[in-house]
Amino acid sequence: MWKVGMSEEVGKALQAVVDRVNQAAARRPKTLPAVAPRLVAVSKTKPPEMVIEAYRQGQRNFGENYVNELVDKASNVQILESCPEIKWHFIGHLQKNNVNKLLGVPNLFMVETVDSARLADRVNSSWLRLRAGGSTLNIMVQINTSGEDSKHGLPPEQTPDTVRHVLTRCSGLHFSGLMTIGRYGYDITEGPNPDFQMLLSRRQEVCDSLKLPLEEVELSMGMSTDFEHAIEVGATNVRVGSTIFGNREYPSTPSPERRPKPLTEEAAQRLECLTVTGK
């Protein structure tokens, strides 16, 4: 529920994250493409008023994990009236039977979780049918860099063929880059996150094999617990939720897309890793 004082809290938290994003970007090696990181504010379980306040503070990119929640928020009259330049990112697992519903979302900017050539075909055909007029939909190909069964995404070795499929067979889609969730709780004192390093190597492989400029292939990696490290090693898109909006509140009677009970911050971060795909 929206409470008095939350506006100031959201504004301060958002500005603090923006500052940390910029500082992390300044620490990146000069050998990396000079692409300013995009901050996606993940508003999962949060009310429209919080989205509107973050938008008022200058935030434009917002992410949601669940199709139904994204449909509700993107169609909210207050958000439509107050946030004309909002850009919605879908960052959760996309089931084929929800594709049409997702693609009807107003101001849909990017689907970050295309995890197979078959799903790419489904999204492409639906987009061409629903959004006739020559516009293309930004998509990312999701890679399961950690190899965990609980994570969605392509096996890393299938990355070049899947990207090639999108580029050559999906005229309604614009391939924007690669995305990963990665293993939760990695300790960076042990060295660079291997999931992030895996995504970097997959991008290099894709660019080499398909003759794509490195700076035109984005990397979506990093969430509330590790977005600074992700940026330092090359992320161009980070997904930050609880650090901006506070701990998530899950309903006691959830829809089929939701987890069943309120979670602690630690558990919420674990759930974010399992279902994203952030911020």
Short mmCIF file of all heavy atoms in Angstrom, two decimals, residues 213-241:
data_model
loop_
_atom_site.label_atom_id
_atom_site.label_comp_id
_atom_site.label_asym_id
_atom_site.label_seq_id
_atom_site.Cartn_x
_atom_site.Cartn_y
_atom_site.Cartn_z
N PRO A 213 29.19 -6.11 -34.66
CA PRO A 213 30.01 -5.21 -33.83
C PRO A 213 29.77 -5.49 -32.35
O PRO A 213 28.62 -5.61 -31.92
CB PRO A 213 29.51 -3.81 -34.22
CG PRO A 213 28.82 -3.98 -35.53
CD PRO A 213 28.24 -5.36 -35.51
N LEU A 214 30.84 -5.58 -31.59
CA LEU A 214 30.73 -5.91 -30.17
C LEU A 214 29.85 -4.92 -29.43
O LEU A 214 29.04 -5.30 -28.57
CB LEU A 214 32.13 -5.92 -29.55
CG LEU A 214 32.33 -6.75 -28.27
CD1 LEU A 214 32.14 -8.23 -28.56
CD2 LEU A 214 33.70 -6.48 -27.68
N GLU A 215 29.96 -3.65 -29.77
CA GLU A 215 29.22 -2.62 -29.04
C GLU A 215 27.72 -2.65 -29.34
O GLU A 215 26.93 -1.99 -28.66
CB GLU A 215 29.77 -1.23 -29.36
CG GLU A 215 29.63 -0.79 -30.80
CD GLU A 215 30.79 -1.25 -31.66
OE1 GLU A 215 31.61 -2.09 -31.18
OE2 GLU A 215 30.90 -0.77 -32.81
N GLU A 216 27.31 -3.41 -30.35
CA GLU A 216 25.88 -3.49 -30.69
C GLU A 216 25.19 -4.71 -30.07
O GLU A 216 24.00 -4.91 -30.26
CB GLU A 216 25.71 -3.51 -32.21
CG GLU A 216 26.11 -2.19 -32.88
CD GLU A 216 25.86 -2.18 -34.37
OE1 GLU A 216 25.20 -3.13 -34.87
OE2 GLU A 216 26.31 -1.24 -35.03
N VAL A 217 25.94 -5.52 -29.33
CA VAL A 217 25.35 -6.69 -28.66
C VAL A 217 25.39 -6.44 -27.16
O VAL A 217 26.44 -6.48 -26.52
CB VAL A 217 26.11 -7.97 -29.03
CG1 VAL A 217 25.49 -9.17 -28.30
CG2 VAL A 217 26.09 -8.20 -30.53
N GLU A 218 24.24 -6.16 -26.59
CA GLU A 218 24.15 -5.83 -25.17
C GLU A 218 24.30 -7.06 -24.29
O GLU A 218 24.11 -8.20 -24.73
CB GLU A 218 22.81 -5.16 -24.87
CG GLU A 218 22.62 -3.80 -25.52
CD GLU A 218 21.45 -3.06 -24.90
OE1 GLU A 218 21.35 -3.07 -23.65
OE2 GLU A 218 20.64 -2.50 -25.65
N LEU A 219 24.62 -6.81 -23.02
CA LEU A 219 24.69 -7.86 -22.01
C LEU A 219 23.81 -7.47 -20.84
O LEU A 219 24.06 -6.47 -20.16
CB LEU A 219 26.13 -8.05 -21.52
CG LEU A 219 27.16 -8.52 -22.55
CD1 LEU A 219 28.54 -8.60 -21.90
CD2 LEU A 219 26.77 -9.87 -23.13
N SER A 220 22.75 -8.24 -20.61
CA SER A 220 21.86 -8.02 -19.48
C SER A 220 22.24 -8.99 -18.38
O SER A 220 21.96 -10.19 -18.46
CB SER A 220 20.40 -8.21 -19.89
OG SER A 220 19.54 -8.02 -18.78
N MET A 221 22.90 -8.48 -17.36
CA MET A 221 23.33 -9.31 -16.23
C MET A 221 23.55 -8.40 -15.03
O MET A 221 23.94 -7.24 -15.18
CB MET A 221 24.61 -10.08 -16.57
CG MET A 221 25.79 -9.23 -17.00
SD MET A 221 27.15 -10.25 -17.66
CE MET A 221 28.48 -9.02 -17.71
N GLY A 222 23.24 -8.92 -13.86
CA GLY A 222 23.39 -8.13 -12.65
C GLY A 222 22.05 -7.69 -12.10
O GLY A 222 21.20 -7.19 -12.84
N MET A 223 21.87 -7.91 -10.79
CA MET A 223 20.64 -7.52 -10.09
C MET A 223 21.03 -6.76 -8.82
O MET A 223 22.14 -6.25 -8.72
CB MET A 223 19.80 -8.76 -9.80
CG MET A 223 19.38 -9.49 -11.08
SD MET A 223 18.27 -10.89 -10.81
CE MET A 223 19.39 -12.07 -10.05
N SER A 224 20.11 -6.65 -7.88
CA SER A 224 20.35 -5.81 -6.71
C SER A 224 21.64 -6.17 -5.97
O SER A 224 22.33 -5.29 -5.46
CB SER A 224 19.16 -5.91 -5.74
OG SER A 224 18.06 -5.17 -6.20
N THR A 225 21.96 -7.44 -5.88
CA THR A 225 23.11 -7.86 -5.07
C THR A 225 24.44 -7.75 -5.79
O THR A 225 25.49 -7.79 -5.14
CB THR A 225 22.93 -9.31 -4.60
OG1 THR A 225 22.76 -10.16 -5.75
CG2 THR A 225 21.71 -9.44 -3.69
N ASP A 226 24.43 -7.63 -7.12
CA ASP A 226 25.71 -7.71 -7.84
C ASP A 226 25.78 -6.82 -9.07
O ASP A 226 26.64 -7.02 -9.93
CB ASP A 226 25.99 -9.16 -8.24
CG ASP A 226 24.88 -9.79 -9.08
OD1 ASP A 226 23.97 -9.06 -9.53
OD2 ASP A 226 24.93 -11.02 -9.30
N PHE A 227 24.90 -5.80 -9.17
CA PHE A 227 24.87 -5.03 -10.42
C PHE A 227 26.13 -4.21 -10.65
O PHE A 227 26.53 -4.00 -11.80
CB PHE A 227 23.62 -4.14 -10.46
CG PHE A 227 23.60 -2.97 -9.52
CD1 PHE A 227 24.13 -1.74 -9.89
CD2 PHE A 227 23.01 -3.09 -8.26
CE1 PHE A 227 24.08 -0.66 -9.02
CE2 PHE A 227 22.96 -2.01 -7.39
CZ PHE A 227 23.51 -0.80 -7.76
N GLU A 228 26.78 -3.77 -9.56
CA GLU A 228 28.01 -2.98 -9.75
C GLU A 228 29.12 -3.84 -10.35
O GLU A 228 29.82 -3.41 -11.28
CB GLU A 228 28.44 -2.37 -8.42
CG GLU A 228 27.53 -1.25 -7.96
CD GLU A 228 27.71 -0.91 -6.50
OE1 GLU A 228 27.38 -1.76 -5.64
OE2 GLU A 228 28.17 0.21 -6.23
N HIS A 229 29.29 -5.04 -9.82
CA HIS A 229 30.29 -5.94 -10.39
C HIS A 229 29.96 -6.27 -11.84
O HIS A 229 30.85 -6.31 -12.70
CB HIS A 229 30.38 -7.22 -9.56
CG HIS A 229 31.25 -8.27 -10.15
ND1 HIS A 229 32.59 -8.08 -10.42
CD2 HIS A 229 30.97 -9.55 -10.58
CE1 HIS A 229 33.11 -9.18 -10.96
NE2 HIS A 229 32.14 -10.08 -11.07
N ALA A 230 28.68 -6.49 -12.12
CA ALA A 230 28.27 -6.80 -13.49
C ALA A 230 28.64 -5.67 -14.44
O ALA A 230 29.15 -5.91 -15.55
CB ALA A 230 26.76 -7.07 -13.54
N ILE A 231 28.40 -4.45 -14.02
CA ILE A 231 28.74 -3.30 -14.87
C ILE A 231 30.25 -3.21 -15.06
O ILE A 231 30.75 -2.94 -16.17
CB ILE A 231 28.18 -2.00 -14.26
CG1 ILE A 231 26.65 -2.00 -14.36
CG2 ILE A 231 28.76 -0.77 -14.96
CD1 ILE A 231 25.99 -0.88 -13.58
N GLU A 232 30.99 -3.42 -13.99
CA GLU A 232 32.44 -3.31 -14.07
C GLU A 232 33.04 -4.28 -15.08
O GLU A 232 34.06 -3.98 -15.71
CB GLU A 232 33.06 -3.55 -12.68
CG GLU A 232 32.81 -2.42 -11.70
CD GLU A 232 33.24 -2.79 -10.29
OE1 GLU A 232 33.83 -3.88 -10.11
OE2 GLU A 232 32.97 -2.00 -9.37
N VAL A 233 32.41 -5.45 -15.25
CA VAL A 233 32.96 -6.42 -16.20
C VAL A 233 32.29 -6.37 -17.57
O VAL A 233 32.67 -7.11 -18.46
CB VAL A 233 32.89 -7.86 -15.63
CG1 VAL A 233 33.69 -7.97 -14.35
CG2 VAL A 233 31.45 -8.31 -15.42
N GLY A 234 31.27 -5.49 -17.73
CA GLY A 234 30.74 -5.31 -19.08
C GLY A 234 29.25 -5.27 -19.26
O GLY A 234 28.77 -5.14 -20.40
N ALA A 235 28.45 -5.38 -18.20
CA ALA A 235 26.99 -5.33 -18.36
C ALA A 235 26.57 -3.98 -18.96
O ALA A 235 27.08 -2.93 -18.58
CB ALA A 235 26.29 -5.54 -17.03
N THR A 236 25.62 -4.04 -19.87
CA THR A 236 25.05 -2.81 -20.43
C THR A 236 23.60 -2.64 -19.98
O THR A 236 22.98 -1.62 -20.30
CB THR A 236 25.09 -2.83 -21.97
OG1 THR A 236 24.28 -3.91 -22.45
CG2 THR A 236 26.51 -3.00 -22.47
N ASN A 237 23.07 -3.61 -19.26
CA ASN A 237 21.67 -3.60 -18.82
C ASN A 237 21.61 -4.32 -17.48
O ASN A 237 22.00 -5.49 -17.39
CB ASN A 237 20.81 -4.33 -19.87
CG ASN A 237 19.32 -4.19 -19.64
OD1 ASN A 237 18.69 -3.25 -20.11
ND2 ASN A 237 18.73 -5.15 -18.94
N VAL A 238 21.19 -3.61 -16.42
CA VAL A 238 21.10 -4.24 -15.10
C VAL A 238 19.67 -4.11 -14.58
O VAL A 238 18.98 -3.15 -14.87
CB VAL A 238 22.10 -3.63 -14.09
CG1 VAL A 238 23.52 -3.98 -14.47
CG2 VAL A 238 21.92 -2.12 -13.97
N ARG A 239 19.25 -5.11 -13.81
CA ARG A 239 17.86 -5.22 -13.37
C ARG A 239 17.82 -5.10 -11.85
O ARG A 239 18.23 -6.02 -11.14
CB ARG A 239 17.31 -6.56 -13.84
CG ARG A 239 17.58 -6.84 -15.32
CD ARG A 239 17.19 -8.26 -15.75
NE ARG A 239 17.81 -9.31 -14.99
CZ ARG A 239 18.92 -9.95 -15.35
NH1 ARG A 239 19.57 -9.62 -16.47
NH2 ARG A 239 19.41 -10.93 -14.62
N VAL A 240 17.39 -3.96 -11.35
CA VAL A 240 17.44 -3.69 -9.91
C VAL A 240 16.04 -3.42 -9.39
O VAL A 240 15.36 -2.51 -9.87
CB VAL A 240 18.37 -2.48 -9.63
CG1 VAL A 240 18.44 -2.21 -8.13
CG2 VAL A 240 19.77 -2.74 -10.19
N GLY A 241 15.62 -4.20 -8.40
CA GLY A 241 14.27 -4.04 -7.86
C GLY A 241 14.24 -3.61 -6.42
O GLY A 241 13.92 -2.48 -6.09
#
